[in-house]
Amino acid sequence: MANREETARSVPSVLGACCADGSGPVQPAGPCTIRVALVGQPNVGKSTVFNLLTGMNQHVGNWPGKTVERKEGIHRCDGVDIQIVDLPGTYSLTANSLEERITRDYIIHERPDVVVMVADAASLERNLYLLSEILCLPAPVVLALNMVDVAQQQGLGIEPHVLEAALGLPVVPMVASKNQGVRELVDTVLRVYREGPRGVCRPDIREDHREVLAELVNLIAGSVPEPYPEDWVALKMLEGDEEITEMMRARLTPEQWERVHRVLMRHEDAILAIAGGRYEWVRRMTRAALTVPKAGQITLTDRIDKVATHPVWGLFVLLGVLGAIFWLTYTIGSPIQAFLDRYLIQAGAEWVRTAFAAAPWWVTGLLADGVIGGAGMVLTFLPILVIFFAVLGALEDIGYMARAAYVMDRFMHLMGLHGKSFLPLFLGFGCNVPAVMGARIVDSPKARLLTILVAPLVPCTARMAVVAVLAPIFFGSAAIWVSWGLIALSLVVLAVVGIALHELVLGGEHVAFIMELPLYHTPNARTIGLSVWQRTMGFVRKAGTIILIVSVVVWALSVLPRGEVDTSILAAVGRFLSPLGALMGVGWQMMVALLTSFVAKENTIATLSVLLGVGGEEAGLAQVLPTLLTPASALAFLVVQVLFIPCAATVATMRQETGSWKWTAFSVVLLFVLSFAVGIGVYQLALLAGWGV
Amino acid sequence: MHAKKHFHLGKHFWRREHKTAVADGRAVTLGTLPAGKTATIAELQGGRGFTTRMAALGFTPGAEVTMIQNFGRGPIIVLVRGTRIALGRGEAERVWITPNGGNAHGES
């Protein structure tokens, strides 16, 4: 079957090279590989379409050097391999955000054979705005009109054929959540690939700016680098696109640039005229195809939002939802975690010790404590994370998460963050690693950084597990209040640190809160399932790579040079820090326990057992610990342990997500200083309260 | 198409026109629009980043906005071009509107 044409076409595809004839009509071909890019605005069901097309045949990674997810997959149909790249969801193609830059760079440089734009039929006008931008790029486009059922419920009348005739490009109505229209979409993509683009109606700039655009095109003619279209570059410069303007500034001679610059200065406002012109084009395109019902209809979304986004009731709804998530986590997730810890991690470590009894100490130690006890331990939190991911995924799919962000905006605003940061921070209660990763959804880089910096202050389940063991030893029946107090204290510290960092480090910059509130709709199990699967696998991959490496390194520090914790480098550091511990009546063993909690938070207990010579028995700890620490010291210790440097896994993730050692180190130092400062403060208060004996 | 004419009149005519609308008391900020009321966008103030983001979401001069939720403090929800958008108070103060009826910049 493999003919020469196929090889010729598929080789550059595999290499990702840009074909010079990408925009031209494509030669007919038999079985082959074609590359399709999925674009669309957020909340249009693009992921659902992608998941339907690729199923499990997908690969999730990052765009090179960027913290934006890159999803790729293959759909096989009639002997054709359709390679699909799911480009990030964007509202427009101006280089405002990383997502927008990635999307347009991909279309321009990688030249996909067909671009499928997924649009939400229920908000067609705004969706076609993106189409008006895409049509200026050299790629054949198919419009997938998703959620036509929702549009119908909204009373909107849409006639795809009329729209198709107006636009001059194929329009495929779909209900991706019900698996409708997928086959038609694939057929249309293949047809467009074989037949090449038709006479597309491209948006023209508004008449009042036609002259200036022509002037600009004239000025930059001949200087525009391949593969950028000249018209498009001129348009983007007129829009004030910094990336493109910088690129041209570097290519033009100073005299040319001077002239271009003068034109641009004269038309600083052009963006609004261009955007307005695009909407005029959209209106022309939809005039015949779209009938909008009279305003004033109360929809289901309006009714739910009356409560869900209300400043008071909305808060109760949110509290209820969060309470339910915690309840699920603690009644289902935690017991499974404890089970895995006991029968997988501890049993695994024991097995390694017996199986490799003859091996040198460091082999068993490395495997049992470094690999299984560090990275393996992180994996026992998977059940808790799966519950978190599933519930959050469902809430996201229903459309509630945007409302939660909206309700929390008032509070997040106090520390210079906006509502969107609430979601990743909430994930932090499960585990700080996905919290740091989840900060990606925050659009401003500064707010993203701030979210990452405060994320470790959310008390994760691992820290609370340590509290759950230690608090009853010291405080008996009052332990539950101590636990709640520690959670409250963490959140207060988080807020204070957030406010301070926003002012001091980030210069108090205002973070814009602009967010779409999608219509509520019934969740799609497949979409949620795949998102849980992908997030979980992302976490597992991390545990298997960077978390594993860091765990092993920290383990090495905790046993080198002699193979014992109490003579290790980490212990030496713990002893060195003992004057600090003395300020809150805590001995060096406790300091070492804190330091080993850096591998994994649960290590606090294991280390204490070893150092206090009670042989890993919690019952032994219960006898020894109260003789070593006063209630005041114990409370201070718990405070430090909850606020301390996050586990190695989180630190490693912070490094990856910020892309900066400086900020990672800053966070580690900050949390170190902060945890002791608050711990010592609590100790002094407790002394005043008479808990010092 | 009034806007078209304005652009021929000079580079900032269009913007100045709105400044006068502001001075006349005809234009107010979006944050002052009560829930349930509809208005026409007159101008967006703020950096280019803000303007382009808002424009992509449908906030362009001439577009109609309907206030869905506005409690006088905190974020607001508006309906613009068929989509519900949540805006921070700060963002709402940077969007100037003319209450409907005094439509100076009808887009269509």
Side-chain angles (χ1 to χ4, degrees), chain A residues 157-175:
Chain A
I158 300 177
E159 288 176 62
H161 291 291
V162 182
L163 189 61
E164 182 166 310
L167 289 167
L169 52 84
V171 176
V172 185
M174 295 182 77
V175 184

Side-chain angles (χ1 to χ4, degrees), chain A residues 478-600:
Chain A
I480 181 80
W481 299 109
V482 173
S483 305
W484 279 111
L486 287 171
I487 293 178
L489 179 75
S490 303
L491 296 183
V492 170
V493 172
L494 185 150
V496 172
V497 169
I499 295 169
L501 284 183
H502 177 239
E503 286 302 323
L504 299 175
V505 183
L506 307 178
E509 186 190 276
H510 171 79
V511 190
F513 179 56
I514 307 170
M515 189 179 62
E516 182 190 349
L517 297 181
L519 295 173
Y520 289 104
H521 51 81
T522 39
N524 180 267
R526 197 188 163 107
T527 306
I528 300 168
L530 268 165
S531 100
V532 171
W533 170 253
Q534 281 160 1
R535 286 181 180 175
T536 309
M537 287 329 279
F539 183 80
V540 170
R541 261 197 301 276
K542 205 154 250 174
T545 52
I546 186 132
I547 294 178
L548 180 65
I549 293 166
V550 178
S551 299
V552 167
V553 169
V554 180
W555 166 79
L557 289 177
S558 75
V559 291
L560 290 177
R562 289 214 215 128
E564 292 156 334
V565 174
D566 45 352
T567 55
S568 69
I569 300 171
L570 219 53
V573 178
R575 286 204 176 83
F576 174 75
L577 290 175
S578 58
L580 201 55
L583 288 176
M584 44 183 197
V586 159
W588 68 271
Q589 297 97 331
M590 307 301 276
M591 300 301 279
V592 178
L594 272 180
L595 289 178
T596 53
S597 80
F598 184 50
V599 183

